Amino acid sequence: MNVLVIGAGLSGLSAALHLRGQGHQVTVLERAAVPGGRSGRIERDGFTFDSGPTVFTMVDLLDQAFRAVGRRADDYLTMQLLDPAYRACFDDGSTLHVRHGVEAMRAEIARECGSVDAAAYEEFVVWLRKLYLAELPHFIDVNFDRPTDLLRNPVAAARLVALGGFERLGPAIERRFSDPRLHRIFSFQAMYAGLAPAQALALYAVITYMDSVEGVWFPEGGMRAVPDAMAQAAMDAGVAFHYGATVDRITCAQGRATGVLLTGGERLNADAVVCTLDLPVAYEELLPEVPTPRVAARGRYSPSCVVWHLGVKGAPPPEAAHHNIHFGQQWHDAFDDLLRRGRPMADPSRFVAVPSLHDRDAAPEGCTSLYVLEPTPNLEVGRLDWPSEGPRLRERMLTDLQRWGYPTDIVTEELVTPQDWLAQGMAAGTPFALAHTFRQTGPFRAKNVDKRVKGLVFAGSSTTPGVGIPMVLISGKLAARRVAEMTR
């Protein structure tokens, strides 16, 4: 089959590699000049910033995409394990490091939180691993056609229930540990799913397993090196890439996708099309005659964020890790600000990455690159004036960076707000897509096929299985499976 893939982000590149591995003729259309999509880059004044995700976990899922075309990820990419994965800083001045390896993390907890919580950690890891083994092959790495597909493997479903996967994440963590700092370290990942820990299902503890147990990695050359490597492997395997190619419309005839129409008038025909745009945007811009599915048109979206890219003179504080989380004093109330009140957190928790610690191209000699992220309401929940709110949050972040000891002699900077995410094609102004509520998970999430348009498949964070690098890599693989089903 001749397959067109719209978008050279991680999901599109994953789809292209898996499709090529199945023997299809594959062409990737990317409107930018380089691969990456949301995992992009900003080059300015001698600094190079990764504009997308900064935390990479589950490298074996990346390797699966390379192996689809008979290659290995380490043929193209060098990955470094980060230990600690995170440095967690608390309002009382204390610090906890999320260490790689059960023994190392147990020792860290024993030293900072006591022997009881240290012993509880070993049982916690066993629980996380059981959840992961029950979920990944049966409920994540699968295509769903209908809700009853949840019962395709009744043994796995019963096991997930028995493990407490449908309880709430926050209480499940609190029941296992007494130190409130551990509650935050092992539940903040619910934000990746667009939910407060008190609301998220415990089955999303698999995200905690991915980074806190399996480990966090960083590629040599920065996060942008990942899409570069995937694109090179795809080209080596025979995939064609057209950069600077903006798709104006997906063409259809008699209820079937027939190809695309590019801006400028060029028409490309195909037997199948894989589209990786944010789902509501894909329907609105590329399929204007096909109504957007309800779950995408009226779904609940994850909170958004402000990201501040900073190029500064000077070195980071010696205690800084690659990934740093600075928790505010408030916790539950901060989520109410984001999810219910629609306003910035009164007492924010922030993520600060220092990519130049492990990426020599990120900053010139004697300088540091910083990536500061503060969660904010999305544009549907919050009605904020971002031209004025963005600079206000910037000043607040600057004050705190100085208080925490980071260098702030600014050479260059870029502030990205929810309004900017919207302009980049992200529905509701959030890079985190549809939230993972129960009604937007698994078979209830926006599907990666639409029976009204045969030959069209979707991939990316808005569809199955969801948000985050591991999930969008799987999403590309699931899209390739859908195309394979068309040939049967």
Side-chain angles (χ1 to χ4, degrees):
M1 293 178 67
N2 176 24
V3 185
L4 294 176
V5 177
I6 304 173
L10 297 183
S11 64
L13 292 167
S14 173
L17 287 164
H18 285 285
L19 286 164
R20 185 60 185 149
Q22 294 170 2
H24 302 294
Q25 295 298 315
V26 182
T27 300
V28 179
L29 306 171
E30 170 56 50
R31 64 184 176 185
V34 293
R38 296 189 189 186
S39 189
R41 68 203 74 184
I42 301 168
E43 296 178 351
R44 184 174 301 159
D45 300 318
F47 293 84
T48 302
F49 303 104
D50 290 319
S51 61
T54 65
V55 178
F56 201 106
T57 63
M58 305 305 293
V59 292
D60 63 308
L61 295 175
L62 176 66
D63 199 48
Q64 284 182 19
F66 284 86
R67 283 190 277 117
V69 292
R71 289 157 172 81
R72 297 297 301 266
D74 56 15
D75 294 335
Y76 294 84
L77 196 62
T78 299
M79 302 289 287
Q80 178 181 352
L81 177 68
L82 298 180
D83 189 10
Y86 302 99
R87 176 179 69 117
C89 306
F90 300 90
D91 66 289
D92 62 0
S94 65
T95 300
L96 273 168
H97 293 90
V98 177
R99 299 293 311 282
H100 180 68
V102 175
E103 285 305 315
M105 190 62 202
R106 188 188 191 284
E108 177 77 4
I109 294 174
R111 182 168 52 253
E112 295 292 335
C113 310
S115 60
V116 174
D117 276 343
Y121 179 70
E122 293 188 21
E123 296 180 4
F124 178 61
V125 171
V126 171
W127 177 66
L128 290 178
R129 188 170 286 117
K130 288 179 178 178
L131 275 177
Y132 178 77
L133 293 174
E135 287 181 57
L136 184 72
H138 305 295
F139 303 103
I140 296 176
D141 193 8
V142 291
N143 282 314
F144 290 101
D145 293 312
R146 57 192 66 84
T148 53
D149 287 347
L150 285 170
L151 301 177
R152 279 185 300 208
N153 191 319
V155 174
R159 185 162 182 75
L160 196 55
V161 172
L163 288 168
F166 294 97
E167 299 175 10
R168 298 298 171 183
L169 177 62
I173 302 297
E174 293 169 7
R175 192 166 60 247
R176 287 170 167 82
F177 299 103
S178 61
D179 194 310
R181 294 174 298 174
L182 297 177
H183 302 164
R184 299 187 183 191
I185 283 177
F186 296 133
S187 69
F188 81 88
Q189 295 88 349
M191 280 296 296
Y192 299 151
L195 300 166
Q199 299 173 332
L201 296 177
L203 55 85
Y204 289 117
V206 295
I207 307 174
T208 306
Y209 173 80
M210 289 176 181
D211 60 14
S212 298
V213 179
E214 287 291 326
V216 173
W217 300 76
F218 189 74
E220 184 177 297
M223 295 294 286
R224 60 198 174 276
V226 175
D228 286 349
M230 295 178 76
Q232 186 60 57
M235 285 189 288
D236 290 348
V239 175
F241 282 79
H242 292 179
Y243 293 107
T246 300
V247 176
D248 185 67
R249 191 171 75 251
I250 295 171
T251 58
C252 303
Q254 298 179 332
R256 184 171 190 86
T258 58
V260 302
L261 178 67
L262 300 182
T263 299
E266 184 180 1
R267 191 179 296 268
L268 301 176
N269 296 323
D271 301 305
V273 175
V274 176
C275 179
T276 67
L277 273 68
D278 222 11
L279 225 60
V281 177
Y283 277 96
E284 180 180 347
E285 295 186 359
L286 306 187
L287 294 160
E289 297 178 1
V290 182
T292 306
R294 181 182 179 86
V295 68
R298 302 183 183 179
R300 174 178 168 185
Y301 280 83
S302 299
S304 185
C305 62
V306 164
V307 171
W308 191 20
H309 301 284
L310 279 166
V312 298
K313 294 179 181 178
E319 66 274 13
H322 190 108
H323 299 305
N324 307 270
I325 304 172
H326 295 269
F327 287 103
Q329 182 177 11
Q330 298 178 21
W331 185 237
H332 298 294
D333 200 52
F335 288 105
D336 286 340
D337 282 341
L338 293 179
L339 299 167
R340 291 198 304 107
R341 302 183 187 110
R343 66 190 187 194
M345 295 179 289
D347 181 21
S349 295
R350 299 196 190 94
F351 170 79
V352 180
V354 191
S356 52
L357 286 175
H358 296 97
D359 178 7
R360 61 177 176 267
D361 296 326
E365 187 73 26
C367 296
T368 297
S369 67
L370 299 173
Y371 172 108
V372 187
L373 183 151
E374 178 176 327
T376 67
N378 64 44
L379 296 178
E380 291 191 348
V381 175
R383 297 290 186 268
L384 300 170
D385 178 25
W386 282 108
S388 60
E389 190 67 28
R392 187 187 76 80
L393 293 186
R394 175 199 177 277
E395 290 305 308
R396 189 170 71 163
M397 288 189 282
L398 178 61
T399 298
D400 285 338
L401 285 176
Q402 292 169 337
R403 178 166 59 90
W404 297 331
Y406 294 96
T408 56
D409 185 359
I410 299 173
V411 177
T412 192
E413 62 178 299
E414 178 153 332
L415 187 74
V416 184
T417 73
Q419 203 68 49
D420 297 313
W421 299 126
L422 181 68
Q424 293 177 35
M426 301 176 200
T430 173
F432 305 116
L434 290 164
H436 284 264
T437 62
F438 179 76
R439 292 182 180 274
Q440 295 179 174
T441 296
F444 307 110
R445 197 166 180 82
K447 290 182 172 56
N448 59 1
V449 289
D450 189 326
K451 63 183 180 181
R452 298 169 298 178
V453 188
K454 299 184 187 307
L456 173 63
V457 183
F458 296 101
S461 55
S462 291
T463 185
T464 305
V467 179
I469 290 178
M471 300 303 159
V472 298
L473 291 173
I474 293 173
S475 179
K477 179 169 65 169
L478 295 179
R481 285 184 192 166
R482 289 294 197 186
V483 174
E485 291 170 2
M486 298 175 193
T487 64
R488 294 171 189 166

